[in-house]
Amino acid sequence: MNYQEMYRSFGIDGEVLAFSEEILNDLKDRFDQIDQMAEINQLKVICAMQENRVSEACFQGSTGYGYNDLGRDTLEKVYAHVFRGEDALVRPQITCGTHALALALMSNLRPGDELLSPVGKPYDTLEEVIGIRKSRGSLREYGITYRQADLNPDGSFRYEDIRGAINERTKLVTIQRSKGYALRPSFSVVKIGELIRFIRSVKPDVIIMVDNCYGEFVEEKEPLEVGADMVVGSLIKNPGGGLSPIGGYIVGKKECVENAACRLTSPGLGREVGASLSANRSFFQGLFLAPTVTAAALKGAVFAANLYEKLGFHVIPDGRETRHDIIQAVELQSPERLIAFCKGIQAAAPVDAYVTPEPWDMPGYDAKVIMAAGAFISGSSIELSADGPLKEPYTVYFQGGLTWPHAKLGILKSLQTMKDEGLIIWK
Ligand SMILES: *Cc1c(COP(=O)(O)O)cnc(C)c1O
């Protein structure tokens, strides 16, 4: 079978394929830049592994208390090196990104302290961690208050509001790198650096944390290199490379990481305990693959942006913008298109391709939500996935793809499904 016949066997017709070729012809330079970034970050990861003497013995796991777990301790040194921190905590006991962020916050704040977000509302799940939405065990229950400075409508920082929000109780500042599912721009590492410099000019000794979810390996630098004290993220996103089955990381100042370790396990025990079970090999191998996996996801995002923009849809970021994370939003303007898009992504998956995603009433949301994912690791969003709430403007959020050909197939299937259902005007 040739190339066209292979795609035809997946239901992709000649028109959709030809249209995609036209788009891809114009993306050669963009893809070259993405490959160059992957190359730099791949070298960075290999260097960190060599300098810390990663060996076969590191892939042995530990059980029970997990004392002297060589793999775990070496992995943490490798993460510290890659992200340019003094120290790191990288554990399967950190269950997800929200847990990693909650851990970093709860361990570095004390009753009476105040937390500040200078970049508007944080990621949804953090609202309950902070206590913006009432919840059991929130920072608020422990007497830790929260303040926020919103962004300007164009996504720029409101410096005077930020200055006004900083006071003698401000102990920790949280900066979310990726827009997540909000409609504001994601911040480049350079922009984060500018914000950090400003905050330090007002209050030099404040702890600055960056929620690094979805941003890892998209750029050459990471936020610790522009003055952050802590970066935090999930191993079932970019740095897990699709292989990590679970986990989160906190990298940064020794003091901050130590606080987190004592909270994750127990005062007095700290980082000395915490068995890695059998996760070490996939953590190392996943980190090794992460730069090229992130590049694959980025190519998918750039391709989707350009394809849907050409068909007249509003896409965020637009086709030409530089990327600071792997999320792509497309405003599809109708519930039928949103559903068709997700069906297409599902139909292209290596796992669970035979199921049809349906909108459902997800807890915590005010509208029905549809989600498509056929993943090897449950809930992994570095794998190709799409979701969106069934409300105006029917925006689909699309991310991931462990390989570029898979991301491409998913996007072609999304378009083909809409075309087959008569939901787009074909030229
Ligand atoms: C995904 C994400 C989180 C939360 O991670 P989970 O693993 O879903 O708990 C937090 N912040 C941002 C910006 C994210 O993208």
Side-chain angles (χ1 to χ4, degrees), residues 229-379:
D229 297 305
M230 255 194 300
V231 290
V232 180
S234 162
L235 298 197
I236 62 168
K237 292 181 179 171
N238 309 18
L243 294 186
S244 295
I246 191 172
Y249 73 87
I250 298 172
V251 186
K253 290 262 157 67
K254 234 182 174 55
E255 171 90 6
C256 296
V257 173
E258 200 56 40
N259 283 337
C262 290
R263 172 86 192 207
L264 176 66
T265 65
S266 152
L269 299 182
R271 63 185 320 143
E272 304 301 322
V273 296
S276 60
L277 303 172
S278 52
N280 278 340
R281 185 192 307 271
S282 54
F283 286 168
F284 280 107
Q285 199 174 358
L287 180 65
F288 171 72
L289 293 178
T292 52
V293 168
T294 303
L298 274 174
K299 287 177 185 174
V302 169
F303 175 54
N306 281 276
L307 186 101
Y308 280 98
E309 197 168 54
K310 190 120 189 210
L311 290 167
F313 293 96
H314 183 221
V315 298
I316 310 156
D318 74 32
R320 280 153 306 278
E321 273 175 69
T322 50
R323 300 278 153 160
H324 310 300
D325 64 25
I326 63 167
I327 302 175
Q328 181 62 48
V330 184
E331 291 182 4
L332 292 169
Q333 302 294 347
S334 90
E336 293 80 16
R337 285 199 203 103
L338 174 56
I339 293 166
F341 187 105
C342 290
K343 274 198 219 162
I345 295 294
Q346 190 76 39
V351 181
D352 293 336
Y354 58 89
V355 305
T356 307
E358 301 262 2
W360 62 299
D361 287 302
M362 200 178 150
Y365 287 82
D366 56 356
K368 280 192 192 303
V369 176
I370 184 161
M371 297 184 161
F376 294 99
I377 304 292
S378 176

Side-chain angles (χ1 to χ4, degrees), residues 96-99 101 123 125 176 178 180 211 213-214 234 236-237 327:
C96 61
T98 304
H99 185 194
L101 289 157
Y123 195 75
T125 55
Q176 187 180 309
S178 163
D211 174 351
C213 284
Y214 285 134
S234 162
I236 62 168
K237 292 181 179 171
I327 302 175

Side-chain angles (χ1 to χ4, degrees), residues 9 16 70 76-77 85-86 98 108 128 138 144 182 187 199 210-211 239 251 259 293 332 340 359 373 383 388 419:
S9 74
V16 166
L70 176 72
E76 291 179 336
K77 288 190 189 126
E86 294 172 4
T98 304
N108 281 287
E128 281 167 285
S138 67
I144 295 156
F187 303 123
I199 291 165
V210 174
D211 174 351
V251 186
N259 283 337
V293 168
L332 292 169
E383 297 187 51
K419 184 172 180 257

Side-chain angles (χ1 to χ4, degrees), residues 26 57 60 64 88 103 112 133 140 175 177 190 214 253 258 306 313 334 357 368-369 375 416:
D26 293 337
Q60 287 331 282
L103 178 63
R133 269 186 287 145
R140 194 177 162 170
I175 301 171
R177 179 173 175 181
V190 166
Y214 285 134
K253 290 262 157 67
E258 200 56 40
N306 281 276
F313 293 96
S334 90
K368 280 192 192 303
V369 176
Q416 185 75 52

Side-chain angles (χ1 to χ4, degrees), residues 19-36:
F19 179 56
S20 79
E21 294 306 311
E22 199 183 301
I23 303 282
L24 284 171
N25 263 330
D26 293 337
L27 291 178
K28 292 210 162 75
D29 288 348
R30 286 296 291 284
F31 278 29
D32 281 349
Q33 285 162 15
I34 292 170
D35 285 335
Q36 275 165 27

